[in-house]
C-alpha cells in the first residue's frame, strides 16, 4: 500500500540521520562495555615470556662471548685469557640488552596504564 506522499507508512521517524546517530551511539556504548582487561592467566604468561626473553638474551651474550674467546684462544694459543675476557664482555653485553628490554617493557606499561608514581615522589 502506498500513500500519496510517497513515504513509507512503516517508518515512524521521518529523520533517518537521527536514527543512524542513535544506533551509532548504542554500538559505541556496547563496544565500550565489551573491552575487558587481560585476565590474570594472560598477564602471567606475558610476564613469563618477558622473563624468558631476558634469560635468553643473557645466555646468548655469555655464549657468544665464550665462543669468540675460545676460538681466539685456539687460534692464538693464549689458553684461557681471551676466553675469560670475552666471556666477561658477553655477560656485560647480555646485561646491557636485558636492561634495554626492561626499559622497553616499563615504557610500554607506563603508556598503556598511565605512569605509576615513583616511590620517592611526594616526599618532602
Amino acid at each position: 500500500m502506498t500513500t500519496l506522499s510517497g513515504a513509507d507508512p512503516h517508518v515512524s521517524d521521518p529523520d533517518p540521520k537521527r536514527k543512524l546517530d542513535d544506533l551509532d551511539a548504542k554500538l559505541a556504548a556496547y563496544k565500550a562495555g565489551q573491552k575487558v582487561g587481560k585476565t590474570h592467566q594472560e598477564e602471567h604468561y606475558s610476564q613469563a615470556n618477558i622473563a624468558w626473553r631476558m634469560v635468553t638474551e643473557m645466555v646468548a651474550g655469555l655464549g657468544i662471548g665464550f665462543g669468540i674467546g675460545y676460538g681466539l684462544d685456539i687460534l692464538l694459543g693464549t689458553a684461557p685469557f681471551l676466553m675469560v675476557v670475552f666471556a666477561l664482555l658477553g655477560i656485560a653485553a647480555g646485561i646491557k640488552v636485558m636492561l634495554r628490554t626492561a626499559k622497553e617493557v616499563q615504557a610500554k606499561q607506563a603508556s598503556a596504564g598511565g605512569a605509576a608514581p615513583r616511590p620517592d615522589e611526594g616526599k618532602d
Side-chain angles (χ1 to χ4, degrees), residues 10-117:
H10 300 290
V11 177
S12 60
D13 191 5
D15 187 14
K17 174 77 171 136
R18 194 182 68 150
K19 288 185 84 170
L20 286 175
D21 290 341
D22 290 344
L23 180 61
D24 190 37
K26 287 179 184 177
L27 285 173
Y30 177 75
K31 287 179 182 179
Q34 292 296 318
K35 291 183 182 179
V36 178
K38 288 185 178 180
T39 63
H40 175 69
Q41 189 173 11
E42 289 173 350
E43 184 68 28
H44 174 70
Y45 286 132
S46 172
Q47 295 294 326
N49 288 339
I50 293 168
W52 275 112
R53 176 181 170 186
M54 289 181 164
V55 168
T56 303
E57 290 167 348
M58 182 66 160
V59 171
L62 175 62
I64 291 170
F66 180 83
I68 291 172
Y70 183 75
L72 288 175
D73 275 338
I74 296 295
L75 287 175
L76 301 176
T78 55
F81 176 69
L82 291 177
M83 182 182 64
V84 171
V85 169
F86 277 91
L88 291 175
L89 288 174
I91 289 173
I95 290 172
K96 183 178 179 182
V97 173
M98 275 180 42
L99 291 175
R100 188 179 323 141
T101 299
K103 286 181 183 177
E104 175 186 318
V105 169
Q106 185 178 15
K108 185 185 287 185
Q109 287 177 348
S111 68

